[in-house]
Amino acid sequence: MSSSWSTRGGEPPGGGGGGSHAHGPRPVHEPERSHLDARQTEESPTRSGRAHDHDQLRVREQQPRRTYNFRRRHRSDALQWATAVLCTVLAVVVLVGAVSILVVVLLLQPRAPYVAVPAATARLDTLVYDQLGALDDVQLSLRVEARNGNAHSAATFSRLECRLAFDGAALAVLRADTFRVPARGALPLAYVARAQGAPLGTADSAAMEAALRDGVVPFEVEGEARTRWKVAGVVTINQWTRLACQMRFFWPNGTALPFKCNSKSKFLFF
């Protein structure tokens, strides 16, 4: 005798029966499903990252490779090397020049020639001033000395000229031809400067009247000379030496007040 089972709604036969138990598919627990979803979520970014890296690698392989220019690199290195050598040579030249100058200064002690007017040699001999504002007669005696302090070289002076003035008004010009001064020597040049009928302006006349009232008359001396000399007997130096000073005289006795008047520079070669 055969029996048949019928199902309704996907239920096994006997689902509603008395004491019998149905054996169907085993249900999946929720924690295990969540764990699987998490693993799939973690694996998906990893796979996408690997795919992205693979795409970038393919793009790099498809791009043309740049060739390395060894010739250009060699030229750049050679230029840098040449620049370094040039800078080194210049530094050595500057150092040698500085040491040479120091040796010359310490051993030879060169001195620039100059001109001077000693105060003891200056005198106001004559001074005639009229009330109309003119110097009828003025005469000064002074000595200009050309000095050379070098121990091993003579000095040549040329185009020497000194101008005598009162309050800017020119009175006389003193000149000299070319001459030579030996090493560690001096050459005195005696002058008698005289001016007659020199007109004075209003300001100059007022200055002269004030000087005569005070008993002290000032005069200015300006001048220059071109010098030529050698350092160590080899290096020739040409330079101008310039003079500018004021001389003051008691009047009427005409003696000079102490003053310092020379063209000596504060520096060695200037």
Side-chain angles (χ1 to χ4, degrees), residues 29 33 138 141 143 162 208-209 215 229:
H29 297 284
R33 182 179 301 175
V138 58
S141 300
R143 188 177 69 193
C162 294
M208 178 59 73
E209 293 175 0
W229 50 292

PDB file of all heavy atoms in Angstrom, residues 29 33 138 141 143 162 208-209 215 229:
ATOM      1  N   HIS A  29      22.830  31.486  11.169  1.00  0.00           N
ATOM      2  CA  HIS A  29      22.789  32.453  12.263  1.00  0.00           C
ATOM      3  C   HIS A  29      23.238  33.814  11.801  1.00  0.00           C
ATOM      4  O   HIS A  29      24.115  33.955  10.946  1.00  0.00           O
ATOM      5  CB  HIS A  29      23.670  31.971  13.437  1.00  0.00           C
ATOM      6  CG  HIS A  29      23.192  30.681  14.031  1.00  0.00           C
ATOM      7  ND1 HIS A  29      22.099  30.594  14.852  1.00  0.00           N
ATOM      8  CD2 HIS A  29      23.698  29.406  13.894  1.00  0.00           C
ATOM      9  CE1 HIS A  29      21.915  29.337  15.212  1.00  0.00           C
ATOM     10  NE2 HIS A  29      22.881  28.585  14.641  1.00  0.00           N
ATOM     11  N   ARG A  33      26.705  35.695   9.318  1.00  0.00           N
ATOM     12  CA  ARG A  33      26.468  36.484   8.102  1.00  0.00           C
ATOM     13  C   ARG A  33      27.150  37.841   8.226  1.00  0.00           C
ATOM     14  O   ARG A  33      27.746  38.353   7.263  1.00  0.00           O
ATOM     15  CB  ARG A  33      24.966  36.676   7.923  1.00  0.00           C
ATOM     16  CG  ARG A  33      24.615  37.453   6.658  1.00  0.00           C
ATOM     17  CD  ARG A  33      23.112  37.577   6.542  1.00  0.00           C
ATOM     18  NE  ARG A  33      22.504  36.246   6.490  1.00  0.00           N
ATOM     19  CZ  ARG A  33      21.182  36.042   6.490  1.00  0.00           C
ATOM     20  NH1 ARG A  33      20.347  37.071   6.567  1.00  0.00           N
ATOM     21  NH2 ARG A  33      20.694  34.809   6.405  1.00  0.00           N
ATOM     22  N   VAL A 138     100.981 145.343  -1.080  1.00  0.00           N
ATOM     23  CA  VAL A 138     101.094 144.261  -0.103  1.00  0.00           C
ATOM     24  C   VAL A 138     102.233 143.361  -0.546  1.00  0.00           C
ATOM     25  O   VAL A 138     102.359 143.024  -1.721  1.00  0.00           O
ATOM     26  CB  VAL A 138      99.782 143.461   0.047  1.00  0.00           C
ATOM     27  CG1 VAL A 138      99.333 142.874  -1.280  1.00  0.00           C
ATOM     28  CG2 VAL A 138      99.942 142.353   1.073  1.00  0.00           C
ATOM     29  N   SER A 141     106.780 137.596   2.305  1.00  0.00           N
ATOM     30  CA  SER A 141     107.941 136.737   2.088  1.00  0.00           C
ATOM     31  C   SER A 141     107.647 135.370   2.709  1.00  0.00           C
ATOM     32  O   SER A 141     107.245 135.285   3.883  1.00  0.00           O
ATOM     33  CB  SER A 141     109.205 137.341   2.718  1.00  0.00           C
ATOM     34  OG  SER A 141     109.489 138.600   2.146  1.00  0.00           O
ATOM     35  N   ARG A 143     108.576 130.815   2.250  1.00  0.00           N
ATOM     36  CA  ARG A 143     109.383 129.754   1.634  1.00  0.00           C
ATOM     37  C   ARG A 143     108.538 128.497   1.490  1.00  0.00           C
ATOM     38  O   ARG A 143     107.914 128.042   2.451  1.00  0.00           O
ATOM     39  CB  ARG A 143     110.629 129.475   2.480  1.00  0.00           C
ATOM     40  CG  ARG A 143     111.616 128.524   1.815  1.00  0.00           C
ATOM     41  CD  ARG A 143     112.846 128.364   2.667  1.00  0.00           C
ATOM     42  NE  ARG A 143     112.564 127.629   3.907  1.00  0.00           N
ATOM     43  CZ  ARG A 143     113.413 127.567   4.935  1.00  0.00           C
ATOM     44  NH1 ARG A 143     114.562 128.225   4.894  1.00  0.00           N
ATOM     45  NH2 ARG A 143     113.091 126.880   6.012  1.00  0.00           N
ATOM     46  N   CYS A 162     101.347 127.995  -6.418  1.00  0.00           N
ATOM     47  CA  CYS A 162     100.734 128.414  -5.165  1.00  0.00           C
ATOM     48  C   CYS A 162     100.089 129.781  -5.379  1.00  0.00           C
ATOM     49  O   CYS A 162     100.701 130.681  -5.975  1.00  0.00           O
ATOM     50  CB  CYS A 162     101.768 128.505  -4.050  1.00  0.00           C
ATOM     51  SG  CYS A 162     102.482 126.909  -3.576  1.00  0.00           S
ATOM     52  N   MET A 208      89.010 143.555   5.713  1.00  0.00           N
ATOM     53  CA  MET A 208      90.326 144.153   5.918  1.00  0.00           C
ATOM     54  C   MET A 208      90.288 145.192   7.037  1.00  0.00           C
ATOM     55  O   MET A 208      91.199 145.243   7.887  1.00  0.00           O
ATOM     56  CB  MET A 208      90.810 144.788   4.619  1.00  0.00           C
ATOM     57  CG  MET A 208      92.161 145.493   4.747  1.00  0.00           C
ATOM     58  SD  MET A 208      93.516 144.402   5.305  1.00  0.00           S
ATOM     59  CE  MET A 208      93.772 143.429   3.818  1.00  0.00           C
ATOM     60  N   GLU A 209      89.265 146.046   7.082  1.00  0.00           N
ATOM     61  CA  GLU A 209      89.162 147.044   8.142  1.00  0.00           C
ATOM     62  C   GLU A 209      89.030 146.377   9.502  1.00  0.00           C
ATOM     63  O   GLU A 209      89.638 146.824  10.494  1.00  0.00           O
ATOM     64  CB  GLU A 209      87.977 147.964   7.861  1.00  0.00           C
ATOM     65  CG  GLU A 209      88.152 148.833   6.625  1.00  0.00           C
ATOM     66  CD  GLU A 209      86.913 149.631   6.303  1.00  0.00           C
ATOM     67  OE1 GLU A 209      85.910 149.502   7.058  1.00  0.00           O
ATOM     68  OE2 GLU A 209      86.920 150.369   5.294  1.00  0.00           O
ATOM     69  N   GLY A 215      94.366 143.920  14.660  1.00  0.00           N
ATOM     70  CA  GLY A 215      95.818 143.790  14.642  1.00  0.00           C
ATOM     71  C   GLY A 215      96.308 142.456  14.106  1.00  0.00           C
ATOM     72  O   GLY A 215      97.494 142.138  14.235  1.00  0.00           O
ATOM     73  N   TRP A 229     107.501 109.347  -8.504  1.00  0.00           N
ATOM     74  CA  TRP A 229     108.498 108.630  -7.735  1.00  0.00           C
ATOM     75  C   TRP A 229     108.272 107.133  -7.885  1.00  0.00           C
ATOM     76  O   TRP A 229     107.289 106.707  -8.494  1.00  0.00           O
ATOM     77  CB  TRP A 229     108.436 109.032  -6.251  1.00  0.00           C
ATOM     78  CG  TRP A 229     107.073 108.971  -5.648  1.00  0.00           C
ATOM     79  CD1 TRP A 229     105.998 109.761  -5.928  1.00  0.00           C
ATOM     80  CD2 TRP A 229     106.616 108.041  -4.663  1.00  0.00           C
ATOM     81  NE1 TRP A 229     104.909 109.383  -5.186  1.00  0.00           N
ATOM     82  CE2 TRP A 229     105.250 108.348  -4.393  1.00  0.00           C
ATOM     83  CE3 TRP A 229     107.229 107.000  -3.967  1.00  0.00           C
ATOM     84  CZ2 TRP A 229     104.498 107.632  -3.466  1.00  0.00           C
ATOM     85  CZ3 TRP A 229     106.482 106.293  -3.040  1.00  0.00           C
ATOM     86  CH2 TRP A 229     105.135 106.609  -2.792  1.00  0.00           C
TER      87      TRP A 229
END
